Amino acid sequence: MHNSDLLRHMLHQMYRIRFFEQRLKDFYDYQGYFEQSQPSTEAQNTDDLLTCTMYDFSSEGMIGGAVHLYIGEEAVATGVCAALRDDDYVTSTHRGHGHAIAKGMDLRLMLAELMGRADGCCRGCGGSMHIFDITHGLLGGNGIVGAGMPLALGPAFAAKYRGTDGVSVAFFGEGASNQGTFHESLNLAALWKLPVLFVCENNLYAASTPACIALPTPDIAPRAQGYGIPGVIVDGQDVVAVYEAAAKAVARARAGDGPTLIEAKTYRFEGHCGVSSGHQNPEECEEWRRRDPLALHEARLLAEEHMTQPEIDALRASVLAEVEEAVEFAQASPWPSPEILAEI
Amino acid sequence: MRELYYSHAIREALEEEMERDECVILLGEDLAEYGGAFKITADIVGRFGPERVRNTPISEAGFVGVAVGAALTGLRPVVEIMFMDFITLAMDQLINHAAKFRYMYNGKVKVPLVVRTPAGAGRAYGPTHSQSLERHFVATPGLVVLAPATAEDAKGMLKAAIRCDDPVVFVESKVLYGRRGPVPEGDYVTPIGRARVAREGKDVSILAYSRMVEEALRAADALAKHGISAEVVDLRSLAPLDLGAIAESVSKTGRVVVVEEGNTTGGVAAEILARIIEECFYDLQAPPRRVAAADVPVPASPTLERTVVPDASVIGRAAAALVLGD
């Protein structure tokens, strides 16, 4: 049994991710462009799809580019990062907001970055796919699928070289497990016994492509056997299950016994990119929504009397307030001045 | 003439070539039911079936390799790379293999492969989804590099690319996908290696390709209001380059601005300028200029992105300075 502080902390982090991501929907105005379920056969439809003029989102407070929401997968980032120290490292993905928040990212700096403002964590140079916060060990979101895995080996290599007990985590999706970098990284990490956690968020879709037509087998974890390292499957909707698997892998890594591959079975409640009304498979999505990681954890905390309903309500309210503060901060932040490009 | 979107012109070329030649197959991420990230291949799977319109896993090095090998043995694969930035993952297959085979194997093989990919900024996607990387392919012998600026050329040049026996990197523009233009009905092929004069002029030549042609034409409009007659040459084919058309325009105007959306250093414009200096030096009445993106990654923030990537005002100022003196 875990202590109440840890369990409450994880609920708090999941609220921060969920409410932040929900609020982004109010600011993202590329809907219809990227995620249209209907192919563009007629001009009117095509106008919606393809004629977004340049910079049509630069009005006050809007978010452009590509935004990939983490809603539905909160338990994975939260459970893994709860097992880490602040000085451990994480490499993230294009769907990286949840990893950033769970690793300690300030919501204000992150939202300002999404809005392309001067106070953003990268002063507007990175955007949604490149959220970065080295003070909390976040080595960046990543616009290239599969690229974060080898990068995560670097800090693990450095920790081993320096003789510290630091670990690093590579988050990636099941789609990325088809890249060569996945296999190269597992081989290198196993060969050199690097203190790494490979955390596969198997959410069943790579953009629109279902895992069943992109992977010859449904599970990623057994691939670990080929490299002689542990491969475990966890329920990615259960934050405690994720935490326990991560804590075990972290202990193994800190002890010098090498990497672990963790496959979290999870689901993306929203479309691939942006705010879409249509999901690739509404029935399947409904099925998964019944196992919403936030609801599952709330129910556990109430049943085991770690929290009361009024305490939960108060926690939700405090996170909603934190998100609104981030909105005000980001909207008040100026646009970055071009001079910063010469300063960097 | 009927008007089509640039994106639909590409789709029409794919459909007509697939109809014409059953060796033409499509490979790429989210290509089939979803129609690709930019919906270029929407509906094609319904007509030609999943054997010819193949969704791939996310493994660019792998499926580009499949396409190179299939091309080597007689198919005519058309691969879509979702964003040009991701083509870096397939560089080995393209540069070390596809580009080499015909020469290395002494002309005994051909590699009729097309890699289509959208390049460029303008959508605030940030540094890893906004690049214009054609310079790397232009600098690799053995590859053809095409970059249409209009819907008409998008169709005609893609058909030429598919019928070409050498590997082609076909650079599309994510911003131009939403532009409409006249497109002839039926089958036509735009020859590889020919530039096009998009606007005639006598005072200064502006050489551009892909989305920058649109900006160059806007600049030419603005220059005309100031009494400056700018000629805009749409290069269209970056490798091979139409040196004849370039020399003709430069010798006529005596002044030249070369425009590209990629970074300044080591770019396509740099190469073209070098050629102009070698071939047309004594025709020049003013130092040749290039206008390209600043030498930084393309930032996400719209205000920064706008600063980094060239537009009509920068092009127009550069051209005016050549004509009027600084």
Side-chain angles (χ1 to χ4, degrees), chain A residues 84-103:
Chain A
L84 299 178
R85 296 194 309 239
D86 201 38
D87 63 347
D88 291 325
Y89 289 101
V90 161
T91 62
S92 174
T93 69
H94 61 289
R95 195 176 306 287
H97 303 168
H99 310 136
I101 293 171
K103 196 69 179 67

Side-chain angles (χ1 to χ4, degrees), chain B residues 89-103:
Chain B
L89 293 147
M91 287 303 239
D92 171 55
Q93 291 297 338
L94 289 173
I95 290 181
N96 291 329
H97 310 289
K100 301 288 187 282
F101 285 155
R102 182 158 69 83
Y103 294 87

Side-chain angles (χ1 to χ4, degrees), chain B residues 30-302:
Chain B
D30 301 298
L31 211 64
E33 293 76 14
Y34 196 68
F38 294 92
K39 304 291 181 194
I40 305 301
T41 56
D43 302 335
I44 296 187
V45 69
R47 189 165 159 201
F48 294 97
E51 291 301 314
R52 293 186 69 188
V53 184
R54 184 65 71 99
N55 272 339
T56 64
I58 304 175
S59 50
E60 289 84 359
F63 66 75
V64 171
V66 169
V68 175
L72 199 58
T73 50
L75 294 186
R76 289 186 176 269
V78 181
V79 173
E80 177 177 294
I81 297 287
M82 190 186 283
F83 285 78
M84 191 178 208
D85 314 70
F86 310 166
I87 208 169
T88 55
L89 293 147
M91 287 303 239
D92 171 55
Q93 291 297 338
L94 289 173
I95 290 181
N96 291 329
H97 310 289
K100 301 288 187 282
F101 285 155
R102 182 158 69 83
Y103 294 87
M104 198 161 68
Y105 300 146
N106 200 20
K108 292 193 178 66
V109 297
K110 46 193 186 182
V111 185
L113 162 75
V114 180
V115 178
R116 299 178 31 244
T117 189
R123 293 203 180 276
Y125 281 126
T128 61
H129 282 61
S130 305
Q131 295 173 89
S132 300
L133 298 173
E134 53 276 8
R135 62 189 55 213
H136 302 294
F137 306 104
V138 168
T140 302
L143 297 177
V144 172
V145 184
L146 306 177
T150 66
E152 177 173 355
D153 282 348
K155 180 176 173 185
M157 290 168 68
L158 183 54
K159 287 166 84 80
I162 292 170
R163 296 179 198 185
C164 176
D165 284 340
D166 285 318
V168 178
V169 175
F170 193 82
V171 184
E172 299 170 4
S173 158
K174 36 182 110 81
V175 173
L176 293 181
Y177 282 150
R179 299 283 192 268
R180 287 172 87 116
V183 176
E185 304 270 358
D187 187 40
Y188 67 96
V189 171
T190 308
I192 290 170
R194 301 263 185 83
R196 167 184 77 98
V197 177
R199 175 189 176 119
E200 292 202 22
K202 59 183 177 53
D203 296 330
V204 56
S205 301
I206 304 176
L207 315 183
Y209 62 93
S210 193
R211 186 172 73 80
M212 287 297 119
V213 173
E214 186 177 272
E215 296 296 322
L217 288 168
R218 282 174 53 208
D221 282 342
L223 289 165
K225 290 181 191 139
H226 291 87
I228 296 171
S229 164
E231 176 149 300
V232 177
V233 178
D234 175 1
L235 296 166
R236 303 198 291 192
S237 176
L238 305 181
L241 203 54
D242 189 349
L243 287 170
I246 293 171
E248 192 178 321
S249 182
V250 172
S251 63
K252 179 167 81 172
T253 64
R255 301 177 186 88
V256 63
V257 177
V258 188
V259 188
E260 75 169 299
E261 195 176 332
N263 299 118
T264 305
T265 300
V268 175
E271 173 59 25
I272 294 170
L273 278 191
R275 296 295 184 115
I276 289 169
I277 290 166
E278 286 175 341
E279 308 285 332
C280 314
F281 188 79
Y282 294 107
D283 293 322
L284 293 171
Q285 296 169 37
R289 286 284 310 274
R290 73 186 142 175
V291 172
D295 279 333
V296 295
V298 182
S301 176

Side-chain angles (χ1 to χ4, degrees), chain A residues 30 33-36 39-41 46-47 50-51 55 57 65-66 116 124-125 129-130 143 178-179 206-209 336 341, chain B residues 5 7-8 11 30 34 38-39 42-43 57-60 86 122-125 127-129 178 211 300-303 305 307-308:
Chain A
Y30 254 141
Y33 163 61
F34 204 84
E35 192 63 35
Q36 273 274 354
S40 53
T41 48
T46 308
D47 279 332
L50 297 168
T51 57
Y55 311 118
F57 42 77
C125 291
M129 288 186 280
H130 308 99
N178 294 323
Q179 288 283 33
S208 79
T209 302
L341 296 171
Chain B
Y5 285 99
S7 54
H8 287 190
R11 184 186 306 164
D30 301 298
Y34 196 68
F38 294 92
K39 304 291 181 194
D43 302 335
I58 304 175
S59 50
E60 289 84 359
F86 310 166
R123 293 203 180 276
Y125 281 126
T128 61
H129 282 61
R211 186 172 73 80
S301 176
T303 60
E305 193 182 37
T307 312
V308 167

Side-chain angles (χ1 to χ4, degrees), chain A residues 25 31-32 35-36 69 270-280:
Chain A
K25 294 181 179 180
Q31 58 187 343
E35 192 63 35
Q36 273 274 354
L69 298 178
E270 306 287 332
H272 164 62
C273 182
V275 182
S276 76
S277 47
H279 195 277
Q280 52 268 35

